[in-house]
Structure formats: C-alpha cells, structure tokens
Amino acid sequence: MTAARQPQWPRLAAALLALPLLLPLAFLATGFGDGRPDLWAHVSQHLLPRATGNTLVLALLVGVFTLIPGIGFAWAGARFEYPGRRVLDWALVLPLAIPGYVVAFVYVGVFDYSSLLQTSWRQLAPGLPALPTPRGLVGAALLLSLVLYPYVYLLSRAAFLRQGSAALDAARSLGRGPVEGFFRVVLPMTRPAWVAGVTLAVLETLADFGAVSILGVETLTTTIYRVWFDLQSLPNAAQLACGLLGLVALALLVERLARGKAQYAERAIKPLPRRALRGWHGWLVTVLAGVTVTMGFVVPMLRLGTWAWSARDELPRVSEAAWNTVALGGMATALVLLLALVLVMIARRMPGDRAVFAASFVGNLGYAVPGTVLAVGVMLMLVWMEGGLAQLGLGRVALSSSLVAVLLALSARFLRVGHGAVETAFSALRPSVIETARTLAVPAWMRFTRITLPLLRPGLVAGALLVLVEVMKELPATLMLRPFGWDTLAVRVYAYTSEGLWAQAAWPALLLSAVGLLPVWWLMRQQR
C-alpha cells in the first residue's frame, strides 16, 4: 500500500492527541487582547525586570553549578578507582529523588534563627555574625544544583563508559597530557551527553516554583502566580507565561546549536581502563563526592526524619492528601500511558509519515513547558469552553474548577516521559514474533492482548513508575488548578512551608522523597 493510499484516520488521531498541548499554548495568545493596561504597566515597571533578571541569572548559575560536579564525578567514576567508588557511583544519584522545594525548606529550617545550628553558633561565637542563610539567588542556585546535578552526572557517565580508549590513546601519542587530552578530546566527543544534562537542569530551573518561593527569589514562575492569584488578572499572567515560554524555547535552541550537526561517536576498540588514584588524590575525590551526597540527600532525609518524629501526631492529617496524591497520580499515569501507547502504535503503523511525526514531536514538547505556563493556558482554555457550553444552553459546567484541569495539564507536561518508555519498550520487541503470529492468522486484537502487551509489560511498568513519581512531585500546575480544598502532598508541603511550619511539612515531604527513590532505584538497576 503506497503512502497516498494509506488511511487518513491515523493522521487525524495523532493530531487530536497533540491538541492537549497545542490548545493551552494557543490560548496563551488571548492574554494579549484582554489584559489590563494599567496593571501591565505596574507589572512591567516593578515586577518584570527583577523577575526576568533573577530567572536568567539563576538558570546560568545552575547550569555552571551542575556542570562541574556532574562531569567531574562522572569522569572520576568512569576512569579512576578511588576509595568507596562502588558505593558512591550510585549514591551520587540519590539527590535526584528529593524535590527541590523539599531541599529548600529543609535548609531554610536548618539555618533558621531559632534552629539548633544557629543557637549553637551564637553560644560558641557570641561576637560573630550569624551564619548565612540559603535565602537569595546564590543560595537558590546552590540548593537546586544539589538535586539537579545527577542529570549531568548520569548522562555524562554513560557517555564516558561507552567511549573507548582509542581517541585518548591517540592524543597521548601526540604528546598530549591527561588533562589536555580530557579537555581537547574527551569533552568534545561527549558534548551531546553533558549538554543534554545541563539543558535538563536549566529547564527544571526555569520551571521551578516551590524552591524559589521558599527561598524568597522572585522569578517569572512566582510572578505569574502572583499576578494571577494576588492581582486577580489571568490575561496578564498569560502574557508573562508567553515570556517564560520564550525563555524555554531559547534554552532548547541553545542546546540544539551547542550540539551542532556533527555525530559524536566512537567504536570502542577496548574498554576505557580505570586507573587507581592513590594517596590524597583518591581520598580528595571520595571526600568531595561524600560531601555532595551528604548535603544533597543525607542531611535532608535525616532532618525530615527528626521533624517527622517530633510531629508524629500530624501523620493522620496527611492521610487525606496522600490518598489524593495517589489517586491523581494513578489517573494521570493511566491517561499518559494510554496517549503514549496510541501515539507510538500510530507511528509504527505509518513509519516516516511527516504528519504523524510532527504530531508526536509537538505532543512530546510538554516536558519542556513549565507547569505555571500550562496551568495558565489550561485555565484560559477551560474558561472559554465553559462559556461556549453556557451559550449552547447546557448550563454551567465546572471544568476549570475540577480535576479535569489538573489532568489536562499533567498529561500534557509528562507525555514525553511516558512516550519515551513506551517507545523504548516497542523498540525491544522482536519483529519475528509478531510476524509469526500474523502468519498463523491470529486476529489483530488477540495479537496485541496476548503477545504484544505481555512483552511490553516491563517497559510499561517502568514508564508508569516514572510518570507516577513526576506527577506526585509536581507542584505549580497542581497548586494553581486543583479544586478548592483538594490538597496533594506537594501542595501540603507548600502550604506548611509558607507559614514556616517546618515540622508539619516533614511528613508529606518525607513521603514524596521516599516515592522519589523508586525511579532512582530503577535507573541504577538499568545501569547495572
């Protein structure tokens, strides 16, 4: 069957599946016609310059702060043998399990004026100023980097392990030392990996809302929330969301230009050997890696544990938010996997079709869109739909104040996570198995339910796990779109920390961090 005779319904279905992301972003443009000019003058003069500057500086600092430890620890683990390497190789991934806003409020509580640390410092050094708090731009960049550097570490380490020793040996034969060979050979050849890791960290920084709110840093995400809820102007919030979306597009463009068109690959003639680091060199790497893991994972988990024990009476009050979180995660995960499964099956049915490829590409862009931007777009779209239904005589349909809004935003944001897992699962299928079933005249539905689906089950389970954890940790979209009084664990953490109730916020934060360990365990299992 030629491409011209192929049915059109798969293209139409793929386009419909891309609409949950396209429509909210399209409705953002309506904010330019309905905004309040007087309010926009106030925002552009007093709020926008500081928020834009802080956002750009924060993204730049996080990019630098994640690049150095990410590449450094990845190269040390792939190339050298140092004390504790086998443990630290996987321990360096553990900070990825803790949401950024949890680390932020933990360290704000640790350095609080009435905390044990500050009290002990005043007793030991009464004449010296108090210890600096993590509030502010630099503190936010450091704390976000503690939980985001594993992106660079994981991708760089995988690239270093895949890389053979031929290029480095050739550089040494030309008189290049190990340091010069690393910077002039290894880093350029693995550039796509670490550039992708830094880009992920920067995108997470641009989308962050909880950590910067707790640390008192005004960024575009917090300004969008403030304009919408405090100043009561959804159209003006849409204008700011368009600006934030432009910064995200700029980050993706820079990442594409940084990678270039060249292919960076090397046929591994022999594995890259590990060289033993003896003396203080090896122990220096061990200490640096240990301090990083301690600051990014051990200290937050220990502090959450002590707070949770002191506020153990609060656990029953968290149960409702926990059930809401599980219910929302289950519904969003099922929706995302269903959409991803249909998209992948359409793409496999029509390989090379430009319309299907474009629909899949657009649908997968949601992960790069901040939750605040999607929340504004979804709200504008649902308010318009409510008005249209009312004009048709169908009465008041509460779409914008229901879980429909939250599910739309979450499915659009995390479709890329589910799509990647489903696509990977399909790529591992042996075509001969499906072809054999087809030659035996097995009906299509039976081939899918009895052959394809059981073979896809491991990949689907992994994808469901990743999507579930991402949905449970998501704060801005859930906070801005949830029905009134319907809290999740992430929303409860934000509510408690907004009032400085660190101990009360410990239980929901501890539960979220424990769930976040599941994909970290899966990642390390895949690497092994």
Side-chain angles (χ1 to χ4, degrees), residues 34 37 90 106 144 156 167 257 287 356 405 408 467 476:
D34 300 331
W90 61 265
V106 165
L144 283 174
S156 301
L257 294 176
V287 169
V356 175
L408 278 176
V467 175

mmCIF file of all heavy atoms in Angstrom, residues 34 37 90 106 144 156 167 257 287 356 405 408 467 476:
data_model
loop_
_atom_site.group_PDB
_atom_site.id
_atom_site.type_symbol
_atom_site.label_atom_id
_atom_site.label_comp_id
_atom_site.label_asym_id
_atom_site.label_seq_id
_atom_site.Cartn_x
_atom_site.Cartn_y
_atom_site.Cartn_z
ATOM 1 N N ASP A 34 -6.841 40.813 26.184
ATOM 2 C CA ASP A 34 -7.744 41.026 27.313
ATOM 3 C C ASP A 34 -7.054 41.555 28.560
ATOM 4 O O ASP A 34 -7.696 41.725 29.592
ATOM 5 C CB ASP A 34 -8.452 39.710 27.670
ATOM 6 C CG ASP A 34 -9.263 39.164 26.507
ATOM 7 O OD1 ASP A 34 -9.732 39.992 25.699
ATOM 8 O OD2 ASP A 34 -9.406 37.932 26.401
ATOM 9 N N PRO A 37 -4.312 47.231 30.862
ATOM 10 C CA PRO A 37 -3.124 48.061 30.576
ATOM 11 C C PRO A 37 -2.526 48.686 31.823
ATOM 12 O O PRO A 37 -1.302 48.786 31.940
ATOM 13 C CB PRO A 37 -3.672 49.118 29.609
ATOM 14 C CG PRO A 37 -4.904 48.502 29.012
ATOM 15 C CD PRO A 37 -5.483 47.649 30.097
ATOM 16 N N TRP A 90 26.524 4.946 42.775
ATOM 17 C CA TRP A 90 25.055 5.016 42.809
ATOM 18 C C TRP A 90 24.558 6.005 43.849
ATOM 19 O O TRP A 90 23.454 6.561 43.709
ATOM 20 C CB TRP A 90 24.470 3.622 43.079
ATOM 21 C CG TRP A 90 24.861 2.984 44.372
ATOM 22 C CD1 TRP A 90 25.871 2.100 44.585
ATOM 23 C CD2 TRP A 90 24.245 3.190 45.650
ATOM 24 N NE1 TRP A 90 25.925 1.743 45.907
ATOM 25 C CE2 TRP A 90 24.925 2.380 46.586
ATOM 26 C CE3 TRP A 90 23.163 3.961 46.086
ATOM 27 C CZ2 TRP A 90 24.584 2.342 47.924
ATOM 28 C CZ3 TRP A 90 22.820 3.919 47.431
ATOM 29 C CH2 TRP A 90 23.528 3.118 48.328
ATOM 30 N N VAL A 106 14.120 22.425 53.895
ATOM 31 C CA VAL A 106 14.956 21.772 54.911
ATOM 32 C C VAL A 106 16.103 22.688 55.322
ATOM 33 O O VAL A 106 16.354 22.903 56.528
ATOM 34 C CB VAL A 106 15.486 20.429 54.397
ATOM 35 C CG1 VAL A 106 16.636 19.934 55.270
ATOM 36 C CG2 VAL A 106 14.377 19.385 54.370
ATOM 37 N N LEU A 144 19.340 24.152 44.329
ATOM 38 C CA LEU A 144 18.783 23.489 43.144
ATOM 39 C C LEU A 144 19.832 22.619 42.468
ATOM 40 O O LEU A 144 19.523 21.537 41.958
ATOM 41 C CB LEU A 144 18.241 24.533 42.170
ATOM 42 C CG LEU A 144 16.892 25.164 42.532
ATOM 43 C CD1 LEU A 144 16.556 26.285 41.558
ATOM 44 C CD2 LEU A 144 15.782 24.131 42.536
ATOM 45 N N SER A 156 26.554 12.009 31.419
ATOM 46 C CA SER A 156 27.989 12.064 31.155
ATOM 47 C C SER A 156 28.656 10.741 31.483
ATOM 48 O O SER A 156 29.514 10.259 30.727
ATOM 49 C CB SER A 156 28.633 13.192 31.967
ATOM 50 O OG SER A 156 28.065 14.438 31.651
ATOM 51 N N ALA A 167 40.730 7.193 21.091
ATOM 52 C CA ALA A 167 40.979 8.623 20.867
ATOM 53 C C ALA A 167 41.919 9.184 21.927
ATOM 54 O O ALA A 167 42.821 9.976 21.615
ATOM 55 C CB ALA A 167 39.656 9.389 20.864
ATOM 56 N N LEU A 257 21.988 24.247 19.110
ATOM 57 C CA LEU A 257 23.173 24.846 18.484
ATOM 58 C C LEU A 257 24.458 24.317 19.130
ATOM 59 O O LEU A 257 25.470 24.153 18.446
ATOM 60 C CB LEU A 257 23.106 26.375 18.597
ATOM 61 C CG LEU A 257 21.983 27.060 17.825
ATOM 62 C CD1 LEU A 257 21.979 28.558 18.098
ATOM 63 C CD2 LEU A 257 22.125 26.799 16.318
ATOM 64 N N VAL A 287 36.104 12.374 49.426
ATOM 65 C CA VAL A 287 35.557 13.380 50.337
ATOM 66 C C VAL A 287 34.587 14.303 49.604
ATOM 67 O O VAL A 287 33.486 14.603 50.100
ATOM 68 C CB VAL A 287 36.698 14.181 50.995
ATOM 69 C CG1 VAL A 287 36.152 15.396 51.731
ATOM 70 C CG2 VAL A 287 37.489 13.287 51.936
ATOM 71 N N VAL A 356 2.349 12.424 11.160
ATOM 72 C CA VAL A 356 2.391 11.663 12.406
ATOM 73 C C VAL A 356 3.628 12.037 13.216
ATOM 74 O O VAL A 356 3.565 12.195 14.445
ATOM 75 C CB VAL A 356 2.361 10.156 12.114
ATOM 76 C CG1 VAL A 356 2.536 9.353 13.384
ATOM 77 C CG2 VAL A 356 1.058 9.785 11.422
ATOM 78 N N ALA A 405 -9.008 19.952 34.815
ATOM 79 C CA ALA A 405 -7.953 20.925 34.535
ATOM 80 C C ALA A 405 -6.586 20.381 34.934
ATOM 81 O O ALA A 405 -5.604 20.501 34.188
ATOM 82 C CB ALA A 405 -8.247 22.231 35.267
ATOM 83 N N LEU A 408 -5.478 17.537 32.539
ATOM 84 C CA LEU A 408 -5.044 18.045 31.231
ATOM 85 C C LEU A 408 -3.628 18.591 31.305
ATOM 86 O O LEU A 408 -2.788 18.309 30.440
ATOM 87 C CB LEU A 408 -6.006 19.131 30.749
ATOM 88 C CG LEU A 408 -7.295 18.674 30.068
ATOM 89 C CD1 LEU A 408 -8.180 19.870 29.746
ATOM 90 C CD2 LEU A 408 -6.975 17.901 28.790
ATOM 91 N N VAL A 467 6.302 8.203 35.393
ATOM 92 C CA VAL A 467 5.234 9.193 35.286
ATOM 93 C C VAL A 467 4.577 9.422 36.644
ATOM 94 O O VAL A 467 4.281 10.564 37.028
ATOM 95 C CB VAL A 467 4.192 8.750 34.239
ATOM 96 C CG1 VAL A 467 3.006 9.721 34.217
ATOM 97 C CG2 VAL A 467 4.821 8.671 32.860
ATOM 98 N N PRO A 476 3.525 23.383 40.826
ATOM 99 C CA PRO A 476 2.812 24.574 40.352
ATOM 100 C C PRO A 476 1.505 24.280 39.634
ATOM 101 O O PRO A 476 0.494 24.942 39.899
ATOM 102 C CB PRO A 476 3.832 25.261 39.433
ATOM 103 C CG PRO A 476 4.819 24.212 39.082
ATOM 104 C CD PRO A 476 4.875 23.296 40.248
#
